[in-house]
Amino acid sequence: MENKVKIFNTLTKKVEKFVPNVDGKVNMYTCGPTVYHFAHIGNLRSYIMEDVLEKTLRYVGYDVKRVMNITDVGHLASDADTGEDKMLKGAKRENKTVMEIAKFYTDAFFSDCEKLNIKRPDVVEPATNCIDEFIHMVEVLIEKGYAYLSGENVYFDTSKLKEYYIFSNQSEDELFVGVRDDVEEDTNKKNKNDFVLWFTKSKFEDQALKWDSPWGVGYPGWHIECSGISIKHLGEYMDIHCGGVDNIFPHHTNEVAQSEAYLGHKWCNYWFHIHHLNDKSGKMSKSKGEFLTVSLLESKNINPLVYRMFCLQSHYRKPLEFSYEVLANVEAAYIKLKKRILELKKDGEIEQDKFAEFRTKFEDALANDINTSSAITVVYDMLKADMNDATKFALAKSFDEVLSLNLTVADEKKAEDSSVDPELEAYVLAKIEERKEAKKQKDFAKADAIRDELAAQGIILKDTREGVEWTKVQ
Ligand code: AMP
Ligand code: ZN
């Protein structure tokens, strides 16, 4: 088939024509979430843009197989194998077992994805399902001389490679994230960028998940998971691998090192990286107390698809700053756009030439390095163009296979809620904030007084796990 999609490849640092290994078929891999906490909307920006990439590839005609791992073991606080185990940290925080935490946050992740119309990958594989595959890979790497045992852990020997920094020309010192002021250097490593393939000497006495291995009871390193899981499901050759930009080093660099050493040939041809969503204070973090989640947006009555549209309006290769002001503008545009589409008359004959013309325009926008904002412009151009309503509606429906904004579905929560007086809504939300602040200051009398004051006006507050919900009784 014609290969019309061009994407920026982090490996070559160029926008390139995307040509898969097998004509018409795409093998795609996505680094999945570390399930120790809710995903923040920054994480979800990456998954939204990867979803658009996958749907674009399908839209232009490829048969895509997409695989994603779930990191439920092995990811330490620093990506360079130091610091606390993230899963253990989550379990301690909530007084639960690691597996309970993994299940809860895996479900929460897919529930967020559903709300954002992110398609579930064809294969989703938790790392804890593939321990045998990881052990096998580590055995082969030791046999081939790429790995060594030291201080009871197995390390990958980066000095054995011709080229380790495949994504970057930067100096080693600039890239090296393993030794920071607050983190102890691992003296078992022969070279500073060597990384752990298998831990047996756990730094944590209470490490919950452990398996037998030829090197003693232990658990896999984080990086080996993605190599093991992708090779298990996609074979020795991969077309495209995705993740956020923070994954480039060390995670993806290490994935390439160990996969190619294991396979003995080039592994993945295209690397797709999404830039970060930042808040006003900078990088998003899950350790800053209340962090931005889909549930938080919902508690503020914001439809998650408005956040999806917010992401689609900017390019995935640019950092994006989150603000409620911009989100409010996007919300207004989203409601207006949907209204316009839903008012189109659906019956009548589709004008095939016009349909084809605009479908091509839409494909071309996306094929140009997943330019989602241009694709949205095509939606507006199409609505303004000279063609009948039935054709416009059919095009909107077709475009929504990729945009996934429910553009032709009339069941939006916000639409139902539009009967709520905006002034009343603003008043109640301000009171809810005031009550939250009072609770934070431990002024419970004031918090109760605010609740009672609202109740006297027929406004009932309900505290839920996701935040405060309110209803007006008639
Ligand atoms: P994690 O659950 O930490 O393994 O991260 C899941 C995904 O989110 C990875 O692909 C990260 O690269 C990506 N990611 C992390 N922080 C951000 C951010 N602020 N904006 C966009 N993507 C992010
Ligand atoms: Zn990964």
Side-chain angles (χ1 to χ4, degrees):
M1 63 176 273
E2 188 204 351
N3 293 305
K4 67 187 288 189
V5 176
K6 289 196 193 121
I7 50 161
F8 181 85
N9 185 356
T10 315
L11 206 53
T12 55
K13 294 181 195 60
K14 281 191 209 113
V15 175
E16 288 181 349
K17 184 185 265 206
F18 176 72
V19 184
N21 285 306
V22 177
D23 188 35
K25 284 190 186 287
V26 176
N27 272 352
M28 177 173 176
Y29 185 81
T30 297
C31 288
T34 308
V35 284
Y36 71 111
H37 216 323
F38 291 108
H40 58 52
I41 59 171
N43 300 128
L44 292 161
R45 178 190 191 197
S46 285
Y47 294 110
I48 288 171
M49 301 319 287
E50 291 166 4
D51 182 64
V52 173
L53 169 69
E54 176 190 345
K55 287 175 178 166
T56 297
L57 294 171
R58 290 185 192 275
Y59 197 72
V60 301
Y62 292 109
D63 175 9
V64 181
K65 179 174 179 187
R66 179 162 172 213
V67 176
M68 183 170 95
N69 68 305
I70 298 289
T71 299
D72 53 1
V73 66
H75 195 173
L76 307 191
S78 159
D79 288 354
D81 303 326
T82 48
E84 204 178 349
D85 179 304
K86 290 192 180 188
M87 293 302 298
L88 217 56
K89 193 171 154 185
K92 274 189 202 151
R93 184 186 63 233
E94 296 181 23
N95 222 357
K96 289 190 185 145
T97 65
V98 167
M99 286 328 274
E100 280 167 349
I101 287 288
K103 162 125 190 38
F104 180 82
Y105 288 112
T106 303
D107 291 348
F109 173 74
F110 285 113
S111 153
D112 286 347
C113 287
E114 214 177 300
K115 289 173 185 164
L116 290 162
N117 280 348
I118 296 171
K119 179 184 167 295
R120 192 182 169 98
D122 305 290
V123 178
V124 174
E125 181 90 275
T128 48
N129 270 3
C130 301
I131 302 299
D132 290 346
E133 281 85 352
F134 307 147
I135 291 177
H136 171 71
M137 275 189 86
V138 178
E139 282 178 319
V140 172
L141 289 170
I142 294 175
E143 251 167 58
K144 288 187 164 189
Y146 285 106
Y148 59 91
L149 198 65
S150 173
E152 296 166 61
N153 294 327
V154 183
Y155 292 87
F156 186 90
D157 187 346
T158 52
S159 71
K160 292 281 157 63
L161 300 174
K162 278 199 208 84
E163 193 190 5
Y164 171 61
Y165 299 105
I166 47 131
F167 293 112
S168 169
N169 307 319
Q170 281 166 279
S171 75
E172 293 202 4
D173 287 341
E174 262 177 88
L175 278 171
F176 187 52
V177 298
V179 182
R180 297 179 316 193
D181 294 346
D182 55 335
V183 170
E184 245 174 69
E185 188 170 1
D186 184 345
T187 50
N188 297 320
K189 294 182 182 184
K190 287 191 198 162
N191 312 289
K192 61 183 179 179
N193 279 311
D194 290 357
F195 54 92
V196 180
L197 296 166
W198 187 267
F199 290 94
T200 61
K201 179 149 179 42
S202 171
K203 297 184 186 72
F204 323 107
E205 295 309 322
D206 48 355
Q207 177 64 31
L209 299 176
K210 305 177 210 188
W211 293 265
D212 271 335
S213 83
W215 318 284
V217 175
Y219 60 102
W222 172 41
H223 314 297
I224 196 79
E225 290 179 13
C226 289
S227 296
I229 292 172
S230 63
I231 292 170
K232 174 177 174 186
H233 293 287
L234 298 172
E236 293 192 9
Y237 296 90
M238 205 201 303
D239 295 305
I240 186 158
H241 192 311
C242 326
V245 280
D246 58 304
N247 283 163
I248 296 174
F249 187 85
H251 185 50
H252 290 165
T253 305
N254 292 348
E255 276 189 43
V256 175
Q258 69 205 358
S259 298
E260 297 193 350
Y262 168 78
L263 295 168
H265 58 72
K266 188 168 177 188
W267 173 51
C268 177
N269 290 333
Y270 298 88
W271 290 82
F272 181 86
H273 288 111
I274 300 99
H275 277 256
H276 275 184
L277 178 83
N278 302 310
D279 56 25
K280 284 208 172 74
S281 62
K283 194 174 179 294
M284 295 224 161
S285 144
K286 294 183 189 176
S287 50
K288 279 186 195 165
E290 185 184 71
F291 58 89
L292 286 162
T293 58
V294 167
S295 305
L296 184 70
L297 296 183
E298 285 183 308
S299 75
K300 294 180 191 293
N301 259 325
I302 300 167
N303 179 347
L305 293 182
V306 169
Y307 175 65
R308 185 175 172 110
M309 177 139 157
F310 170 87
C311 291
L312 299 192
Q313 282 185 334
S314 79
H315 196 253
Y316 76 92
R317 269 196 299 121
K318 288 199 182 115
L320 179 59
E321 189 178 295
F322 178 79
S323 83
Y324 282 110
E325 294 76 48
V326 179
L327 202 65
N329 291 337
V330 176
E331 180 171 48
Y334 177 67
I335 291 170
K336 226 166 126 186
L337 177 63
K338 273 197 69 156
K339 188 167 176 287
R340 205 156 150 202
I341 292 170
L342 290 167
E343 279 169 4
L344 294 167
K345 293 184 197 70
K346 292 159 203 68
D347 27 77
E349 194 122 329
I350 290 173
E351 298 170 70
Q352 294 300 342
D353 52 337
K354 298 273 174 163
F355 185 94
E357 180 193 333
F358 275 89
R359 197 185 196 280
T360 304
K361 281 187 181 170
F362 182 73
E363 276 189 12
D364 289 350
L366 291 167
N368 178 18
D369 195 20
I370 314 299
N371 196 330
T372 44
S373 64
S374 297
I376 289 179
T377 305
V378 175
V379 180
Y380 285 103
D381 290 348
M382 173 277 283
L383 289 170
K384 273 188 270 163
D386 179 22
M387 67 181 112
N388 69 22
D389 275 13
T391 310
K392 289 182 182 178
F393 192 80
L395 278 165
K397 203 164 177 182
S398 169
F399 297 165
D400 215 32
E401 286 172 31
V402 180
L403 302 177
S404 301
L405 293 167
N406 290 1
L407 290 176
T408 57
V409 188
D411 60 355
E412 288 313 302
K413 208 166 159 252
K414 204 66 203 172
E416 286 163 20
D417 288 347
S418 60
S419 58
V420 176
D421 174 0
E423 248 177 66
L424 173 70
E425 184 166 13
Y427 164 77
V428 177
L429 292 181
K431 286 284 173 195
I432 289 174
E433 272 308 303
E434 208 184 311
R435 178 167 167 263
K436 200 166 121 196
E437 190 52 40
K439 279 186 164 179
K440 216 162 127 190
Q441 307 297 334
K442 302 214 177 324
D443 189 350
F444 297 109
K446 184 171 174 194
D448 288 348
I450 294 170
R451 195 193 51 215
D452 295 345
E453 185 192 341
L454 290 172
Q457 300 167 64
I459 294 154
I460 309 301
L461 300 187
K462 192 172 147 209
D463 292 307
T464 72
R465 228 179 159 276
E466 278 79 36
V468 182
E469 286 173 6
W470 67 277
T471 41
K472 170 122 176 71
V473 286
Q474 301 304 323

